[in-house]
Amino acid sequence: MNDPPGSDEDFMAQALAEAARGLGRTSPNPPVGCVLVQPNGSGGEVVGRGFHPRAGEPHAEVFALREAGERARGATAYVTLEPCSHFGRTPPCADALMAAGVARVVVAAGDPNPQVNGRGLERLRAAGIAVQTGVLEAQAVRQQAGFRARMLLGRPFVIYKYAMTLDGKVAALEEGGGSEANGAVTGPEARARVMGWRNEADAIAVGVDTLLTDDPQLTTRGVVGGRDPRPVIFDRQGRTPPTARALRPGAVVVTAPGAEAPALADAGAVLLPAATLEEALRGLHDLGVSTLLLEGGPTLASAFAESDLIDEVRAFIAPKLLGAGLSPLAGPLRRMNAAGMLDMYALEQLGADILVSASVRRVAAEPTPSPRTGGA
Amino acid sequence: MNDPPGSDEDFMAQALAEAARGLGRTSPNPPVGCVLVQPNGSGGEVVGRGFHPRAGEPHAEVFALREAGERARGATAYVTLEPCSHFGRTPPCADALMAAGVARVVVAAGDPNPQVNGRGLERLRAAGIAVQTGVLEAQAVRQQAGFRARMLLGRPFVIYKYAMTLDGKVAALEEGGGSEANGAVTGPEARARVMGWRNEADAIAVGVDTLLTDDPQLTTRGVVGGRDPRPVIFDRQGRTPPTARALRPGAVVVTAPGAEAPALADAGAVLLPAATLEEALRGLHDLGVSTLLLEGGPTLASAFAESDLIDEVRAFIAPKLLGAGLSPLAGPLRRMNAAGMLDMYALEQLGADILVSASVRRVAAEPTPSPRTGGA
């Protein structure tokens, strides 16, 4: 994954790294990064960088242009998402790039927002700016998955994270006391990675059984500058104890319609009644959640799988054989040739453990990638 | 794993490749390879190669010395196992190396055979030959695992091979008609790898339920020069149909003591009555089986795991989510912090699938590696 220095891919990778600084902070907006490069003998010199820090603040392009100043003239702008063409809370970024005299714009992925959706690129081309798209598009689409699910599906993007033994078990049978009493599945490197994901997710979901067993904090620990995702507890009957550690202000408790849980409301929880998981996800969408990290347990994850609501899996596999135990999914019931297909996009070794990252292959979850267009 | 050309490791890797040609054919002897190298400016020139083709035929060193002829004088011999020092069916190889004027002997792993166990090396050193051990020892020990289990444990080395989805399922629930009717878990690259393992294993074990469901052939297909492993069917009550495709001459049916299965004996099967798995493995040992490839199903594998009789796992993981299904192991019942620990020695991508190869960490299964000794 090391792109040659000075290549379009190299600069776009830098723009993606900029964008990543906003992950978990920009919803309902997408995370976006921008790098401005003045061509020189050895490929180019970065003259400005920026990322979108949160909704209501300026877009990535604006920060990069501010840093570049006069040196934006004649530069190439690498932007992870098609520059906007409409007046939202800020003026259109396409116009700002044009006004600054940028000569070329390289874009990773098109903006599925119906208010943009190609119009930003058209506007740039009409102004005589060379436009190229599709550079590191797959990475950008994954980074923007929450925003894209918001635009295209009207619900959060759901990532199921689990850690299992090599014989496919996430926990022993009938263990009380949670992972601290009974031993974690994976090692410290895996745990650190999970903390990074929590820092980047809008919200983190667990079932009430996990809450009652483990009383997890669901916080981000050990990440410099990290912040906590919003806890979401799926708890049809309102059994969550008001003293649960995850019940910090803003925590959401998803209950069955009509379930009474005044003590939870008093404890600062947002009660979200929902008859189905789809309805719950629409409610989370309305609360501004674009990415949902589903951490368990298997009962909740199986319900998501039954409703085909898992978009990505991140599976740690520990070099252990447990024997009897709980599986990461207990449903739906289907035949092997009807199993849900995944596209693995990363296979890593983290300490002694393996991490498999894979997207759920689903028709119409994403628009077909925009064709590579234009170019200098 | 690419060793520098001309290094000790490079030549030992060639000797291991020679030895591999005998895998599945040498029992009760070990697979052994030998490469003779005349030193020259660029590291050395291979002047002889050999491997042990089967019990009763000459050892690897003899073939290599025959090929080298006079050019063995002053050469370095790379041997994957300590040369023997005793008269068996053939004269001692240590003596043959000395007689040929070999100047240096590099050995991968010591011979645990109590008749050898360091005496071969002593004999060489006493003759003034430089001896070095421990070169690619871990690979050699894995390659000789069957022989070592025979010597140290008095039973075959058991490799549990399975293919599961990323949610840990080897099969759907209540599927009739086997993998052909319901879709295989993994792709063609994984299947080809399994065929290579069958070619190298002495025997292949399945439970009678797998036999009744799938009627597998348990043969080696698509391997040039391949041969079939001996089928071993674990079938306490003798339910195997005499028409089962796996019942070729030499096939073993392990039954409960006292089970009557005259039709199976008539069909050419070897009946092996055994009260426990340990007893069954001792019986297979006596039949000359040193490596046993355990292919399923989960019920049989769980019984092996309950008795702590799995030595290695080779787990394919397919990028799929099944949901409800059968797990590779359903027992024993224990807590996560008592899970059996594995040492992963290879992580590969095969087509769309992942292959994890791992040794079961077990006290006293292997002697501690012999210290690196001597040297030129």
Side-chain angles (χ1 to χ4, degrees), chain B residues 8-104:
Chain B
D8 281 349
E9 286 74 14
D10 174 36
F11 290 124
M12 189 60 81
Q14 296 185 43
L16 285 166
E18 284 294 317
R21 300 171 65 186
L23 278 169
R25 284 115 175 119
T26 62
S27 190
N29 289 353
V32 183
C34 177
V35 169
L36 285 165
V37 176
Q38 272 290 350
N40 68 10
S42 60
E45 180 196 353
V46 174
V47 294
R49 297 171 186 275
F51 70 98
H52 183 46
R54 73 190 66 242
E57 294 203 26
H59 289 183
E61 296 92 326
V62 173
F63 286 103
L65 289 169
R66 275 187 200 162
E67 184 184 333
E70 265 312 300
R71 303 193 69 195
R73 193 158 304 278
T76 298
Y78 294 88
V79 199
T80 60
L81 183 71
E82 176 182 0
C84 65
S85 54
H86 62 295
F87 281 84
R89 302 193 207 179
T90 59
C93 289
D95 294 22
L97 291 167
M98 284 151 51
V102 164
R104 179 174 173 243

Side-chain angles (χ1 to χ4, degrees), chain A residues 162 164 166-167 169 172 175 182 317 319-324 327 329-332 334-337 340 342 344 349, chain B residues 162 164 166-167 169 172 175 182 319-324 327 329-332 334-337 340 342 344 349:
Chain A
Y162 55 93
M164 68 179 190
L166 191 56
D167 60 327
K169 307 297 162 23
E175 285 187 340
N182 298 291
I317 303 169
K320 299 177 184 175
L321 296 180
L322 179 67
S327 169
L329 288 180
R334 51 188 170 195
R335 296 169 81 109
M336 188 60 78
N337 57 12
L342 304 171
M344 180 167 68
Q349 232 181 303
Chain B
Y162 56 93
M164 68 180 190
L166 190 56
D167 60 328
K169 307 297 164 16
E175 282 188 340
N182 297 290
K320 298 176 186 177
L321 296 180
L322 180 66
S327 170
L329 288 180
R334 52 189 170 194
R335 296 169 81 109
M336 188 60 78
N337 57 12
L342 304 171
M344 181 167 68
Q349 232 181 302

Side-chain angles (χ1 to χ4, degrees), chain B residues 142-163:
Chain B
R142 277 201 298 275
Q143 190 182 61
Q144 302 153 4
F147 173 70
R148 288 172 180 274
R150 169 169 290 274
M151 287 293 146
L152 299 168
L153 306 173
R155 63 160 176 85
F157 188 83
V158 177
I159 300 168
Y160 179 30
K161 167 255 144 182
Y162 56 93

Side-chain angles (χ1 to χ4, degrees), chain B residues 214-238:
Chain B
D214 286 356
D215 193 17
Q217 297 187 60
L218 305 180
T219 51
T220 300
R221 297 182 291 280
V223 177
V224 176
R227 105 293 171 245
D228 296 333
R230 187 169 190 158
V232 179
I233 300 147
F234 284 83
D235 176 13
R236 295 187 61 75
Q237 288 145 28

Side-chain angles (χ1 to χ4, degrees), chain B residues 195-220:
Chain B
M195 290 299 158
W197 296 338
R198 288 185 177 181
N199 178 45
E200 296 178 347
D202 293 327
I204 180 173
V206 294
V208 67
D209 289 322
T210 296
L211 194 93
L212 292 172
T213 308
D214 286 356
D215 193 17
Q217 297 187 60
L218 305 180
T219 51
T220 300

